Amino acid sequence: MAAMKNCHNDYKMKFSADEEFPDLSQHNNHMAKVLTKEIYAKLRSKSTPSGFTLDDVIQTGVDNPGHPFIMTVGCVAGDEESYEVFKDLLDPIISDRHGGYKPTDKHKTDLNFENLKGGDDLDPNYVLSSRVRTGRSIKGFTLPPHNSRGERRGIEKLSIEALSSLDGEFKGKYYPLNGMSDAEQEQLIADHFLFDKPVSPLLTCAGMARDWPDGRGIWHNDNKTFLVWVNEEDHLRVISMQKGGNMKEVFRRFCVGLQKIEEIFKKHNHGFMWNEHLGYILTCPSNLGTGLRGGVHVKLAKLSTHPKFEEILTRLRLQKRGTGGVDTASVGGVFDISNADRLGSSEVEQVQLVVDGVKLMVEMEKKLEKGESIDGMIPAQK
Amino acid sequence: MSDNIEKISESMAKLTLKWLSAEDEFPDVRKHNNHMAKVLNLEMYKKLRERVTPNGFTIDGVIQTGVDNPGHPFIMTVGCVAGDEETYEVFKELLDPVIEARHGGYKPQDKHKTDLKSENLKGGDDLDPNYVLSSRVRTGRSIRGFCLPPHCSRGERRAVEKLSVEALDSLSGDLKGKYYALKNMTEAEQQQLIDDHFLFDKPVSPLLLASGMARDWPDARGIWHNNNKTFLVWVNEEDHLRVISMQKGGNMREVFSRFCTGLTKIETLFKERGHAFMWNEHLGYILTCPSNLGTGLRAGVHVKLPNMSKHAKFEEVLKKLRLQKRGTGGVDTAAVGGVFDISNADRLGFSEVELVQMVVDGVKLLVDMEKRLEKGQSIDDLMPAQK
């Protein structure tokens, strides 16, 4: 594919870097902390081969000043090459977001579920459900902030082919967002599978909701334990889940399913975007590496009110969310506990942290229920 | 298309390579109800995707808002925008039929008349203030040489703001006023502007957001108004400039006079600085949305019509008078307490004076009808002919 020229970007060059530099004085996101006039001046004339520019990378961060307490990323990739062409901006952001990860560091991928120790015995009286999700991008296509309708449809077509060829525990069905029946829609909502047009301005300002719902859909297996979102925030979001605490089984299904899907894409010369420095390439720099969030819904009514709760989570390299997902509150003492890291540790390592950490926290909860102290159980920093 | 534009748009298009076919890229607008969706077909799309305006605006840029917003079964939205002045030429094949459908059959060869001489208005100073609560005239203007809000860069937007503030600061007499930049107004200023109903906020309508007009908000956006609070200019909202003249009561003549004087002064000041307004003899004033071409003018009143509005022929009367009704919150709002916003329906193909005349004459008649109905009398003999 020959290089695409961004005519609009050339036209903008008649204004100076100073005239175009965004006003980030009120902003609190990673992009705003890193971008300087010098970096802007250096990168503004560049364009990836598909025509993605610096202004495209940062638009979401300019439009969304952020929150005093929550550091959003404030930038996105429009294609695989964005991470190369705009390295001078993205490397420092990646370092800030991913615990000091350096441009020279290497990321390890490990999807061998047998390497996980334990994880099949989390107490289901406390651990209500287990889930592992990740994202994947298809090489040769640009990413959701930038892709055209034709590309998105191409991704959907390839995805349907790949998913339709799955069998056994993975046999399932695809539901395109455009054209599902009312009955199908209600069932998907009842199963908590349906995803809707993004409303978050973090996503809409990056252009990911264009042409909605064209090319978007949901695939799930008949057992409802393996689910794939097509063309939402990433080309693919892959989710394995089930009730109860058998994270080992969830992770096994996750690894097996992912690898089966990858093989089929490779056959069509469209493998997943991946490199040995950044691991799996996704739209948001926060999801680089494994793109993996492995988590449980767990009852921690007592532990969550303990003064050391936050500290324990930090030491275990875990994070908490409400049961509605990111930016929601917990209900009835039930928390969503998952790995905090994405880049610099492997899938097995991250799920191991969740399995070991949750096991410990459930034991702490039980102690607190009996009115006993947990001081002797506080873990060391992982 | 002029030779020059044609050459530029073709040579720029050659620089981009589209590796997927027109069929692969053609939007699915089968369930859409907007002007763009009714006009666009695969052949047209195939042709237009080979072009780019000199500033880099493409057909996908033009239609994105219409693809993202399928519309409403009862309300026909336009479904496309211009990113620069040249859009209306480069993408004529799409925009001419859209303009024709939206503006009552306006043809590609038609000429539009501009008339901002307020003395040409007859009457308009005696609408009954017991019924006509307020009068207002608004329009938009685009500054030639800059891209429009869907496409402009931060640098361009700031340049438009800078030029606008310079021009407005030099106004005097009853037009003398002050500029309030959105991004650094004080809490007190903000509250005052809200109380005066002057403050505009970041657009929330998906029709506007999907076209990219809210990028970089609130950078380079602001409000200017005169000390008397009767003349107001919005900078860099949906258009480069929105100019509004208003006051309580029914003296539309005075509102229009101030409107014309203020606009003409501003235009002179811009010209002195080497920047004209975008205008041509076919489309009149060039604005972001094709629905606002021509005069870009909406002249209206808030008027009490509790009886008339319930009359079986209310809609028909409005249509004959070439007027439209809205709720008092503006477009897409409901009427409260029998008070309606009544304004001209047309924008293109009629001059400013002609449109304001229709409002003045039409509202006068509607108020007469209201008074009749209050007395329990018939209005059959007052029915107007189609204007």
Side-chain angles (χ1 to χ4, degrees), chain B residues 187-236:
Chain B
E187 296 246 355
E189 287 170 339
Q190 186 171 298
Q191 194 54 56
Q192 188 60 59
L193 287 166
I194 290 172
D195 294 341
D196 292 327
H197 304 289
F198 283 174
L199 188 65
F200 67 90
D201 218 345
K202 181 170 181 177
V204 293
S205 164
L207 299 175
L208 299 184
L209 296 176
S211 71
M213 296 186 215
R215 286 169 302 124
D216 314 310
W217 202 275
D219 197 316
R221 273 82 167 191
I223 293 161
W224 180 96
H225 70 78
N226 66 350
N227 297 334
N228 297 343
K229 296 187 183 178
T230 53
F231 194 75
L232 169 67
V233 179
W234 289 351
V235 179
N236 286 320

Short mmCIF file of all heavy atoms in Angstrom, two decimals, chain B residues 187-236:
data_model
loop_
_atom_site.label_atom_id
_atom_site.label_comp_id
_atom_site.label_asym_id
_atom_site.label_seq_id
_atom_site.Cartn_x
_atom_site.Cartn_y
_atom_site.Cartn_z
N GLU B 187 -16.08 33.63 37.28
CA GLU B 187 -17.38 33.04 37.68
C GLU B 187 -18.49 34.08 37.60
O GLU B 187 -19.60 33.78 37.17
CB GLU B 187 -17.29 32.51 39.11
CG GLU B 187 -16.31 31.37 39.28
CD GLU B 187 -16.99 30.06 39.66
OE1 GLU B 187 -18.22 30.07 39.89
OE2 GLU B 187 -16.29 29.04 39.74
N ALA B 188 -18.16 35.30 38.01
CA ALA B 188 -19.15 36.38 38.00
C ALA B 188 -19.59 36.69 36.58
O ALA B 188 -20.78 36.85 36.29
CB ALA B 188 -18.55 37.62 38.66
N GLU B 189 -18.60 36.78 35.66
CA GLU B 189 -18.93 37.06 34.26
C GLU B 189 -19.80 35.94 33.69
O GLU B 189 -20.78 36.18 32.99
CB GLU B 189 -17.64 37.18 33.43
CG GLU B 189 -16.87 38.46 33.69
CD GLU B 189 -15.48 38.45 33.06
OE1 GLU B 189 -14.95 37.35 32.78
OE2 GLU B 189 -14.93 39.56 32.86
N GLN B 190 -19.41 34.70 34.03
CA GLN B 190 -20.15 33.55 33.53
C GLN B 190 -21.60 33.60 34.01
O GLN B 190 -22.53 33.41 33.23
CB GLN B 190 -19.48 32.25 33.99
CG GLN B 190 -20.11 31.01 33.38
CD GLN B 190 -19.31 29.75 33.66
OE1 GLN B 190 -18.17 29.61 33.26
NE2 GLN B 190 -19.92 28.81 34.37
N GLN B 191 -21.77 33.88 35.28
CA GLN B 191 -23.12 33.92 35.83
C GLN B 191 -23.96 35.01 35.16
O GLN B 191 -25.12 34.80 34.83
CB GLN B 191 -23.05 34.16 37.36
CG GLN B 191 -24.35 33.89 38.10
CD GLN B 191 -24.89 32.50 37.81
OE1 GLN B 191 -24.20 31.50 38.00
NE2 GLN B 191 -26.11 32.43 37.29
N GLN B 192 -23.34 36.17 34.94
CA GLN B 192 -24.05 37.27 34.29
C GLN B 192 -24.48 36.90 32.88
O GLN B 192 -25.60 37.16 32.46
CB GLN B 192 -23.16 38.53 34.27
CG GLN B 192 -23.89 39.78 33.78
CD GLN B 192 -25.07 40.12 34.64
OE1 GLN B 192 -24.96 40.35 35.84
NE2 GLN B 192 -26.27 40.17 34.02
N LEU B 193 -23.56 36.25 32.15
CA LEU B 193 -23.88 35.85 30.78
C LEU B 193 -24.99 34.80 30.75
O LEU B 193 -25.81 34.79 29.83
CB LEU B 193 -22.62 35.31 30.08
CG LEU B 193 -21.59 36.38 29.71
CD1 LEU B 193 -20.27 35.73 29.34
CD2 LEU B 193 -22.08 37.24 28.55
N ILE B 194 -25.01 33.94 31.76
CA ILE B 194 -26.08 32.95 31.84
C ILE B 194 -27.40 33.66 32.12
O ILE B 194 -28.41 33.40 31.46
CB ILE B 194 -25.79 31.90 32.94
CG1 ILE B 194 -24.63 30.99 32.51
CG2 ILE B 194 -27.05 31.06 33.23
CD1 ILE B 194 -24.14 30.05 33.60
N ASP B 195 -27.39 34.59 33.07
CA ASP B 195 -28.60 35.34 33.42
C ASP B 195 -29.15 36.12 32.23
O ASP B 195 -30.36 36.26 32.07
CB ASP B 195 -28.32 36.30 34.58
CG ASP B 195 -27.98 35.58 35.87
OD1 ASP B 195 -28.32 34.38 35.98
OD2 ASP B 195 -27.38 36.21 36.76
N ASP B 196 -28.23 36.63 31.41
CA ASP B 196 -28.65 37.38 30.22
C ASP B 196 -29.05 36.46 29.07
O ASP B 196 -29.44 36.94 28.01
CB ASP B 196 -27.50 38.28 29.74
CG ASP B 196 -27.19 39.39 30.72
OD1 ASP B 196 -28.14 39.88 31.38
OD2 ASP B 196 -26.01 39.79 30.83
N HIS B 197 -28.90 35.18 29.26
CA HIS B 197 -29.17 34.18 28.22
C HIS B 197 -28.24 34.37 27.02
O HIS B 197 -28.63 34.19 25.88
CB HIS B 197 -30.64 34.23 27.74
CG HIS B 197 -31.61 34.07 28.86
ND1 HIS B 197 -31.81 32.87 29.51
CD2 HIS B 197 -32.41 34.96 29.48
CE1 HIS B 197 -32.71 33.03 30.47
NE2 HIS B 197 -33.09 34.29 30.47
N PHE B 198 -27.01 34.76 27.30
CA PHE B 198 -26.03 34.99 26.23
C PHE B 198 -25.02 33.86 26.11
O PHE B 198 -24.42 33.67 25.07
CB PHE B 198 -25.24 36.29 26.53
CG PHE B 198 -25.98 37.55 26.24
CD1 PHE B 198 -25.41 38.76 26.58
CD2 PHE B 198 -27.22 37.54 25.62
CE1 PHE B 198 -26.08 39.97 26.32
CE2 PHE B 198 -27.89 38.73 25.36
CZ PHE B 198 -27.32 39.94 25.71
N LEU B 199 -24.81 33.16 27.21
CA LEU B 199 -23.72 32.18 27.23
C LEU B 199 -24.05 30.99 26.34
O LEU B 199 -25.13 30.43 26.43
CB LEU B 199 -23.47 31.70 28.66
CG LEU B 199 -22.23 30.82 28.85
CD1 LEU B 199 -20.96 31.60 28.56
CD2 LEU B 199 -22.18 30.29 30.28
N PHE B 200 -23.14 30.61 25.48
CA PHE B 200 -23.33 29.36 24.75
C PHE B 200 -22.35 28.34 25.30
O PHE B 200 -21.25 28.67 25.73
CB PHE B 200 -23.18 29.55 23.23
CG PHE B 200 -21.80 29.91 22.74
CD1 PHE B 200 -20.88 28.93 22.40
CD2 PHE B 200 -21.43 31.25 22.60
CE1 PHE B 200 -19.61 29.28 21.91
CE2 PHE B 200 -20.17 31.59 22.13
CZ PHE B 200 -19.26 30.62 21.79
N ASP B 201 -22.79 27.11 25.27
CA ASP B 201 -22.01 26.05 25.87
C ASP B 201 -21.46 25.11 24.81
O ASP B 201 -21.87 25.18 23.65
CB ASP B 201 -22.90 25.26 26.83
CG ASP B 201 -22.13 24.85 28.07
OD1 ASP B 201 -20.88 24.93 28.04
OD2 ASP B 201 -22.76 24.46 29.05
N LYS B 202 -20.57 24.25 25.20
CA LYS B 202 -20.06 23.25 24.27
C LYS B 202 -21.25 22.50 23.69
O LYS B 202 -22.12 22.06 24.42
CB LYS B 202 -19.16 22.28 25.03
CG LYS B 202 -18.54 21.21 24.16
CD LYS B 202 -17.48 20.46 24.94
CE LYS B 202 -16.84 19.39 24.08
NZ LYS B 202 -15.76 18.69 24.79
N PRO B 203 -21.27 22.35 22.36
CA PRO B 203 -22.40 21.64 21.76
C PRO B 203 -22.54 20.24 22.34
O PRO B 203 -21.54 19.58 22.60
CB PRO B 203 -22.00 21.56 20.28
CG PRO B 203 -21.01 22.61 20.05
CD PRO B 203 -20.30 22.82 21.35
N VAL B 204 -23.78 19.82 22.55
CA VAL B 204 -24.02 18.44 22.96
C VAL B 204 -24.75 17.66 21.87
O VAL B 204 -24.77 16.45 21.88
CB VAL B 204 -24.84 18.36 24.27
CG1 VAL B 204 -24.02 18.90 25.43
CG2 VAL B 204 -26.16 19.10 24.15
N SER B 205 -25.32 18.40 20.91
CA SER B 205 -26.05 17.71 19.86
C SER B 205 -25.10 16.84 19.04
O SER B 205 -24.09 17.32 18.54
CB SER B 205 -26.72 18.70 18.93
OG SER B 205 -27.11 18.05 17.73
N PRO B 206 -25.44 15.54 18.89
CA PRO B 206 -24.59 14.67 18.08
C PRO B 206 -24.49 15.13 16.62
O PRO B 206 -23.53 14.78 15.93
CB PRO B 206 -25.26 13.29 18.18
CG PRO B 206 -26.59 13.52 18.79
CD PRO B 206 -26.57 14.81 19.51
N LEU B 207 -25.47 15.94 16.18
CA LEU B 207 -25.40 16.46 14.81
C LEU B 207 -24.15 17.33 14.66
O LEU B 207 -23.48 17.29 13.63
CB LEU B 207 -26.64 17.31 14.51
CG LEU B 207 -28.01 16.61 14.56
CD1 LEU B 207 -29.12 17.64 14.34
CD2 LEU B 207 -28.10 15.52 13.52
N LEU B 208 -23.85 18.11 15.70
CA LEU B 208 -22.69 18.99 15.66
C LEU B 208 -21.41 18.26 16.04
O LEU B 208 -20.37 18.43 15.40
CB LEU B 208 -22.90 20.18 16.59
CG LEU B 208 -24.08 21.11 16.27
CD1 LEU B 208 -24.09 22.30 17.22
CD2 LEU B 208 -24.03 21.61 14.84
N LEU B 209 -21.49 17.43 17.08
CA LEU B 209 -20.28 16.74 17.54
C LEU B 209 -19.71 15.84 16.47
O LEU B 209 -18.49 15.78 16.27
CB LEU B 209 -20.58 15.91 18.79
CG LEU B 209 -21.01 16.69 20.03
CD1 LEU B 209 -21.36 15.73 21.15
CD2 LEU B 209 -19.91 17.64 20.48
N ALA B 210 -20.57 15.15 15.76
CA ALA B 210 -20.09 14.18 14.76
C ALA B 210 -19.37 14.87 13.62
O ALA B 210 -18.61 14.22 12.89
CB ALA B 210 -21.26 13.36 14.23
N SER B 211 -19.57 16.16 13.42
CA SER B 211 -18.88 16.84 12.33
C SER B 211 -17.56 17.45 12.79
O SER B 211 -16.88 18.08 12.01
CB SER B 211 -19.77 17.93 11.76
OG SER B 211 -19.86 18.97 12.70
N GLY B 212 -17.24 17.31 14.07
CA GLY B 212 -15.95 17.79 14.55
C GLY B 212 -15.91 19.25 14.97
O GLY B 212 -14.83 19.80 15.19
N MET B 213 -17.05 19.87 15.12
CA MET B 213 -17.08 21.31 15.42
C MET B 213 -16.68 21.63 16.86
O MET B 213 -16.41 22.78 17.19
CB MET B 213 -18.48 21.88 15.21
CG MET B 213 -18.95 21.82 13.80
SD MET B 213 -20.54 22.68 13.68
CE MET B 213 -21.33 21.67 12.45
N ALA B 214 -16.71 20.62 17.74
CA ALA B 214 -16.44 20.90 19.15
C ALA B 214 -14.98 20.64 19.54
O ALA B 214 -14.61 20.74 20.70
CB ALA B 214 -17.37 20.09 20.04
N ARG B 215 -14.17 20.30 18.56
CA ARG B 215 -12.76 20.02 18.86
C ARG B 215 -12.09 21.17 19.60
O ARG B 215 -12.38 22.33 19.36
CB ARG B 215 -11.98 19.75 17.58
CG ARG B 215 -12.25 18.38 16.93
CD ARG B 215 -11.63 18.33 15.53
NE ARG B 215 -12.15 19.39 14.68
CZ ARG B 215 -11.39 20.30 14.06
NH1 ARG B 215 -10.08 20.27 14.15
NH2 ARG B 215 -11.97 21.24 13.33
N ASP B 216 -11.19 20.81 20.53
CA ASP B 216 -10.35 21.78 21.25
C ASP B 216 -11.14 22.75 22.11
O ASP B 216 -10.61 23.78 22.53
CB ASP B 216 -9.49 22.60 20.27
CG ASP B 216 -8.81 21.74 19.19
OD1 ASP B 216 -8.19 20.74 19.57
OD2 ASP B 216 -8.94 22.06 18.00
N TRP B 217 -12.44 22.43 22.37
CA TRP B 217 -13.25 23.33 23.20
C TRP B 217 -12.56 23.56 24.54
O TRP B 217 -12.05 22.62 25.14
CB TRP B 217 -14.62 22.67 23.42
CG TRP B 217 -15.66 23.65 23.78
CD1 TRP B 217 -15.97 24.14 25.03
CD2 TRP B 217 -16.55 24.33 22.86
NE1 TRP B 217 -16.98 25.04 24.92
CE2 TRP B 217 -17.36 25.18 23.62
CE3 TRP B 217 -16.73 24.28 21.48
CZ2 TRP B 217 -18.34 25.98 23.04
CZ3 TRP B 217 -17.70 25.07 20.91
CH2 TRP B 217 -18.50 25.90 21.70
N PRO B 218 -12.58 24.79 25.09
CA PRO B 218 -13.21 26.01 24.60
C PRO B 218 -12.21 26.97 23.92
O PRO B 218 -12.45 28.17 23.86
CB PRO B 218 -13.71 26.64 25.89
CG PRO B 218 -12.64 26.30 26.90
CD PRO B 218 -12.07 24.96 26.47
N ASP B 219 -11.10 26.41 23.47
CA ASP B 219 -10.04 27.22 22.86
C ASP B 219 -10.58 28.15 21.76
O ASP B 219 -11.24 27.68 20.83
CB ASP B 219 -9.00 26.26 22.27
CG ASP B 219 -7.66 26.91 21.98
OD1 ASP B 219 -7.61 28.02 21.43
OD2 ASP B 219 -6.64 26.29 22.31
N ALA B 220 -10.30 29.42 21.87
CA ALA B 220 -10.67 30.43 20.87
C ALA B 220 -12.17 30.62 20.68
O ALA B 220 -12.60 31.13 19.65
CB ALA B 220 -10.00 30.15 19.54
N ARG B 221 -12.97 30.22 21.65
CA ARG B 221 -14.40 30.50 21.56
C ARG B 221 -14.73 31.63 22.52
O ARG B 221 -14.12 31.74 23.59
CB ARG B 221 -15.25 29.28 21.97
CG ARG B 221 -15.53 28.32 20.82
CD ARG B 221 -14.38 27.38 20.58
NE ARG B 221 -14.77 26.28 19.70
CZ ARG B 221 -14.05 25.21 19.48
NH1 ARG B 221 -12.87 25.08 20.09
NH2 ARG B 221 -14.47 24.27 18.67
N GLY B 222 -15.70 32.44 22.15
CA GLY B 222 -16.04 33.52 23.06
C GLY B 222 -17.30 34.25 22.63
O GLY B 222 -17.89 33.97 21.58
N ILE B 223 -17.69 35.16 23.50
CA ILE B 223 -18.91 35.93 23.30
C ILE B 223 -18.58 37.41 23.41
O ILE B 223 -17.91 37.82 24.35
CB ILE B 223 -19.91 35.58 24.41
CG1 ILE B 223 -20.36 34.13 24.27
CG2 ILE B 223 -21.11 36.50 24.38
CD1 ILE B 223 -20.95 33.60 25.54
N TRP B 224 -19.05 38.15 22.44
CA TRP B 224 -18.90 39.61 22.53
C TRP B 224 -20.30 40.18 22.61
O TRP B 224 -21.21 39.72 21.92
CB TRP B 224 -18.18 40.10 21.26
CG TRP B 224 -17.98 41.57 21.24
CD1 TRP B 224 -16.87 42.25 21.62
CD2 TRP B 224 -18.93 42.55 20.84
NE1 TRP B 224 -17.06 43.60 21.48
CE2 TRP B 224 -18.33 43.82 21.00
CE3 TRP B 224 -20.24 42.50 20.36
CZ2 TRP B 224 -18.98 45.01 20.71
CZ3 TRP B 224 -20.90 43.67 20.06
CH2 TRP B 224 -20.26 44.92 20.25
N HIS B 225 -20.51 41.18 23.45
CA HIS B 225 -21.80 41.89 23.38
C HIS B 225 -21.60 43.36 23.71
O HIS B 225 -20.63 43.73 24.38
CB HIS B 225 -22.86 41.25 24.28
CG HIS B 225 -22.64 41.40 25.75
ND1 HIS B 225 -22.94 42.56 26.44
CD2 HIS B 225 -22.18 40.52 26.67
CE1 HIS B 225 -22.66 42.39 27.73
NE2 HIS B 225 -22.20 41.16 27.90
N ASN B 226 -22.53 44.17 23.18
CA ASN B 226 -22.44 45.61 23.45
C ASN B 226 -22.93 45.91 24.86
O ASN B 226 -23.58 45.06 25.50
CB ASN B 226 -23.21 46.43 22.40
CG ASN B 226 -24.71 46.20 22.45
OD1 ASN B 226 -25.19 45.30 23.14
ND2 ASN B 226 -25.45 47.01 21.72
N ASN B 227 -22.58 47.08 25.35
CA ASN B 227 -22.92 47.42 26.73
C ASN B 227 -24.43 47.42 26.96
O ASN B 227 -24.89 47.12 28.06
CB ASN B 227 -22.31 48.77 27.11
CG ASN B 227 -20.79 48.71 27.06
OD1 ASN B 227 -20.19 47.65 27.21
ND2 ASN B 227 -20.15 49.85 26.81
N ASN B 228 -25.19 47.74 25.91
CA ASN B 228 -26.65 47.76 26.03
C ASN B 228 -27.28 46.38 26.02
O ASN B 228 -28.48 46.24 26.21
CB ASN B 228 -27.28 48.56 24.86
CG ASN B 228 -26.86 50.01 24.88
OD1 ASN B 228 -26.39 50.52 25.90
ND2 ASN B 228 -27.03 50.67 23.74
N LYS B 229 -26.46 45.39 25.74
CA LYS B 229 -26.95 43.99 25.66
C LYS B 229 -28.03 43.81 24.60
O LYS B 229 -28.96 43.04 24.78
CB LYS B 229 -27.48 43.53 27.03
CG LYS B 229 -26.39 43.50 28.10
CD LYS B 229 -26.89 42.87 29.40
CE LYS B 229 -25.78 42.94 30.44
NZ LYS B 229 -26.19 42.40 31.75
N THR B 230 -27.85 44.49 23.47
CA THR B 230 -28.81 44.32 22.37
C THR B 230 -28.14 43.79 21.12
O THR B 230 -28.81 43.57 20.10
CB THR B 230 -29.50 45.67 22.03
OG1 THR B 230 -28.47 46.65 21.80
CG2 THR B 230 -30.40 46.13 23.18
N PHE B 231 -26.82 43.62 21.15
CA PHE B 231 -26.09 43.15 19.98
C PHE B 231 -25.00 42.19 20.45
O PHE B 231 -24.16 42.57 21.29
CB PHE B 231 -25.49 44.34 19.24
CG PHE B 231 -24.99 44.04 17.86
CD1 PHE B 231 -25.87 43.83 16.80
CD2 PHE B 231 -23.63 43.97 17.60
CE1 PHE B 231 -25.41 43.56 15.51
CE2 PHE B 231 -23.15 43.69 16.31
CZ PHE B 231 -24.05 43.50 15.27
N LEU B 232 -25.03 40.99 19.94
CA LEU B 232 -24.23 39.91 20.51
C LEU B 232 -23.53 39.14 19.38
O LEU B 232 -24.15 38.90 18.33
CB LEU B 232 -25.21 38.99 21.26
CG LEU B 232 -24.81 37.63 21.78
CD1 LEU B 232 -23.81 37.74 22.90
CD2 LEU B 232 -26.07 36.92 22.30
N VAL B 233 -22.31 38.78 19.57
CA VAL B 233 -21.60 38.00 18.56
C VAL B 233 -20.98 36.77 19.22
O VAL B 233 -20.27 36.89 20.22
CB VAL B 233 -20.48 38.83 17.89
CG1 VAL B 233 -19.72 37.99 16.86
CG2 VAL B 233 -21.06 40.07 17.21
N TRP B 234 -21.27 35.60 18.66
CA TRP B 234 -20.62 34.36 19.12
C TRP B 234 -19.45 34.07 18.21
O TRP B 234 -19.60 34.11 16.97
CB TRP B 234 -21.58 33.17 19.04
CG TRP B 234 -22.70 33.18 20.02
CD1 TRP B 234 -22.89 34.00 21.08
CD2 TRP B 234 -23.81 32.27 20.02
NE1 TRP B 234 -24.04 33.67 21.75
CE2 TRP B 234 -24.63 32.60 21.13
CE3 TRP B 234 -24.20 31.21 19.21
CZ2 TRP B 234 -25.81 31.92 21.43
CZ3 TRP B 234 -25.37 30.52 19.51
CH2 TRP B 234 -26.16 30.89 20.62
N VAL B 235 -18.32 33.80 18.75
CA VAL B 235 -17.12 33.52 17.95
C VAL B 235 -16.79 32.03 18.02
O VAL B 235 -16.63 31.46 19.11
CB VAL B 235 -15.93 34.36 18.46
CG1 VAL B 235 -14.68 34.06 17.65
CG2 VAL B 235 -16.27 35.84 18.39
N ASN B 236 -16.69 31.41 16.84
CA ASN B 236 -16.24 30.02 16.73
C ASN B 236 -17.13 28.98 17.41
O ASN B 236 -16.64 28.04 18.03
CB ASN B 236 -14.80 29.87 17.23
CG ASN B 236 -13.78 30.42 16.26
OD1 ASN B 236 -13.91 30.26 15.04
ND2 ASN B 236 -12.76 31.10 16.78
#
